[in-house]
């Protein structure tokens, strides 16, 4: 498959994933500010076991196409690309957040937080910080047997590793999913094709999965396991249910990712759902820019009291977080100004231009 070709269901899956990511940040932010929970809290909790696993699995699907390329080209596409946008949007986020940090802790602390963000990823940007780490690590271990790397990654996911370092903790908890996407990509594509051929069977499976998944997520685990689960409670919608247990969390992550892949395979066939495919093709645009419309809408709704229900507020903030970056992207494309926000310029490349031609749009990389 050519590197630049797009697969409709993969983009649709990315669209579903980015909506769930924005939903999580929006809902937890609203509930923290409001001091109470709404109905969206339970939606976020339900999606937690598979929200990021699916995003990482999808991110690994095409890694096999580029992993053997010369190191310079590999690093340009899989490291420098994300590093450029991380530095750019880290700086943009701090331009908005530094005054509040300085007001509470002083400008020295604000500057220190900015510098620290180059070692420990900042806020919502941790995903694109870790992706290059995952890509380079996969290339370094690609000569090892697949079963060995998978077993090691699965063990890291199961262990209660809570060092306080985002890089270490998220690597241990998430790498297995990207490796599954990379190592078993052909099986993932075959599954998507199978779903399209047997949609009725798949939807029946989805119903059974949703019942079992919900039971494991919302049934409290025994008190004896609280010490194991405690570091995760209250983080990203965790409930402390059986879904947090070793092995169970991995199985739920993979099963949930399979459901998202299957739903995306069906949605991409429906013309009214083509917006989801477009959104997924530009998912990183939303990922980078959603923080500002999300925060602005949250403050507006909570301070004005225009909407009383916390769940509805969270839903509206989620909508703003998804639509806002799309509007910004459209304005950039229409005006021609600010393309550097979503398009890596030539100077931010380590490949020669005669190797790659004109700078590629961010959505295509």
């Amino acid at each position: 498959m050519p590197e630049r070709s797009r697969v409709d269901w993969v983009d649709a899956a990315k669209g579903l994933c980015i909506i769930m990511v924005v939903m999580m940040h929006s809902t937890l932010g609203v509930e923290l500010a409001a001091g109470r929970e709404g109905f969206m809290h339970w939606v976020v909790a339900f999606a937690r076991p598979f929200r990021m696993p699916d995003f990482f699995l999808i991110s690994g699907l095409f890694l096999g196409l580029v992993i053997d390329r010369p190191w310079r080209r590999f690093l340009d596409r899989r490291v420098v690309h994300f590093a450029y946008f991380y530095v750019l949007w880290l700086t943009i986020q701090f331009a908005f957040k530094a005054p509040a940090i300085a007001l509470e802790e002083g400008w020295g602390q604000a500057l220190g937080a900015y510098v620290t963000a180059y070692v420990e990823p900042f806020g919502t940007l941790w995903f694109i910080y870790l992706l290059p780490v995952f890509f380079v690590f996969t290339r370094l271990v690609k000569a090892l047997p697949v079963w060995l790397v998978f077993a090691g990654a699965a063990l890291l996911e199961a262990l209660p590793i809570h060092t306080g370092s985002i890089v270490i903790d998220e690597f241990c908890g998430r790498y297995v999913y990207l490796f599954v996407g990379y190592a078993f990509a052909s099986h993932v594509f075959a599954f998507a094709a199978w779903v399209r051929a047997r949609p009725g069977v798949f939807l029946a499976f989805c119903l059974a999965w949703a019942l079992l998944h919900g039971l494991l997520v919302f049934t409290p685990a025994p008190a004896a396991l609280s010490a194991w689960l405690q570091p995760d409670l209250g983080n990203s919608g965790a409930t402390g249910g059986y879904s947090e247990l070793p092995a169970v969390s991995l199985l739920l992550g993979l099963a949930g990712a399979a459901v998202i892949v299957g739903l995306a395979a069906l949605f991409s066939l429906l013309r009214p759902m083509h917006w989801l495919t477009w959104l997924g093709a530009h998912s990183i645009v939303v990922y980078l820019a959603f923080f500002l419309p999300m925060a602005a809408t949250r403050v507006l709704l909570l301070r004005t009291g225009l909407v009383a229900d916390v769940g509805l507020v969270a839903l509206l903030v989620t909508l703003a977080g998804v639509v806002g970056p799309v509007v910004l992207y459209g304005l950039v494309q229409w005006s021609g100004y600010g393309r550097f926000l979503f398009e890596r310029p030539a100077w931010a490349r380590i490949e020669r231009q005669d190797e790659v031609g004109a700078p590629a749009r961010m959505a295509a990389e």
Side-chain angles (χ1 to χ4, degrees), residues 87-100:
V87 173
L88 173 63
W89 284 91
L90 169 66
T91 305
I92 292 173
Q93 287 201 19
F94 259 91
F96 287 96
K97 296 183 178 182

Side-chain angles (χ1 to χ4, degrees), residues 110-171:
L111 179 59
Y114 177 79
V115 174
T116 301
Y118 285 90
V119 180
E120 280 293 302
F122 180 78
T124 61
L125 297 174
W126 70 271
F127 177 76
I128 63 169
Y129 186 103
L130 274 178
L131 275 181
V133 176
F134 286 178
F135 292 148
V136 172
F137 181 81
T138 304
R139 175 154 179 159
L140 294 176
V141 302
K142 68 183 179 70
L144 297 177
V146 169
W147 69 264
L148 180 63
V149 180
F150 174 76
L155 178 61
L156 288 177
E157 195 274 344
L159 292 175
I161 298 175
H162 305 287
T163 66
S165 167
I166 296 175
V167 175
I168 296 175
D169 294 351
E170 294 296 344
F171 179 91

Side-chain angles (χ1 to χ4, degrees), residues 3-4 69 71-85 342-365:
E3 179 188 355
R4 295 263 186 250
R69 288 183 174 173
W71 266 105
R72 186 172 65 174
R73 188 172 191 186
F74 178 82
L75 292 175
D76 182 75
R77 300 297 178 87
R78 291 296 182 264
V79 178
V80 178
H81 175 74
F82 292 102
Y84 167 78
F85 291 106
F342 304 115
E343 180 179 335
R344 185 164 56 122
W347 61 262
R349 291 178 174 273
I350 61 174
E351 278 189 292
R352 295 194 305 267
Q353 285 300 294
D354 59 358
E355 293 177 319
V356 297
R361 294 283 174 87
M362 180 181 178
E365 294 194 56

Side-chain angles (χ1 to χ4, degrees), residues 81-254:
H81 175 74
F82 292 102
Y84 167 78
F85 291 106
Y86 179 80
V87 173
L88 173 63
W89 284 91
L90 169 66
T91 305
I92 292 173
Q93 287 201 19
F94 259 91
F96 287 96
K97 296 183 178 182
I101 298 175
L103 186 63
E104 293 185 4
E105 306 178 35
W107 282 104
Q109 289 294 327
L111 179 59
Y114 177 79
V115 174
T116 301
Y118 285 90
V119 180
E120 280 293 302
F122 180 78
T124 61
L125 297 174
W126 70 271
F127 177 76
I128 63 169
Y129 186 103
L130 274 178
L131 275 181
V133 176
F134 286 178
F135 292 148
V136 172
F137 181 81
T138 304
R139 175 154 179 159
L140 294 176
V141 302
K142 68 183 179 70
L144 297 177
V146 169
W147 69 264
L148 180 63
V149 180
F150 174 76
L155 178 61
L156 288 177
E157 195 274 344
L159 292 175
I161 298 175
H162 305 287
T163 66
S165 167
I166 296 175
V167 175
I168 296 175
D169 294 351
E170 294 296 344
F171 179 91
C172 294
R174 309 296 189 184
Y175 177 69
V176 64
Y177 300 106
L178 183 132
F179 184 76
V180 167
Y182 157 72
F184 304 104
S186 61
H187 298 284
V188 177
F189 281 95
F191 175 73
W194 179 87
V195 169
R196 285 180 166 179
R198 300 169 180 82
V201 176
F202 171 72
L203 292 177
F205 164 79
C206 286
L207 178 59
W209 163 83
L211 294 174
L212 178 60
H213 181 88
L215 182 66
L216 292 172
V217 168
F218 297 116
T219 301
L225 296 173
S226 61
W228 188 293
L229 302 178
Q230 189 60 38
D232 282 335
L233 295 184
N235 178 34
S236 302
T239 63
Y242 282 93
S243 63
E244 304 292 323
L245 297 179
V248 178
S249 62
L250 176 60
L251 292 175
L252 289 186
L254 294 175

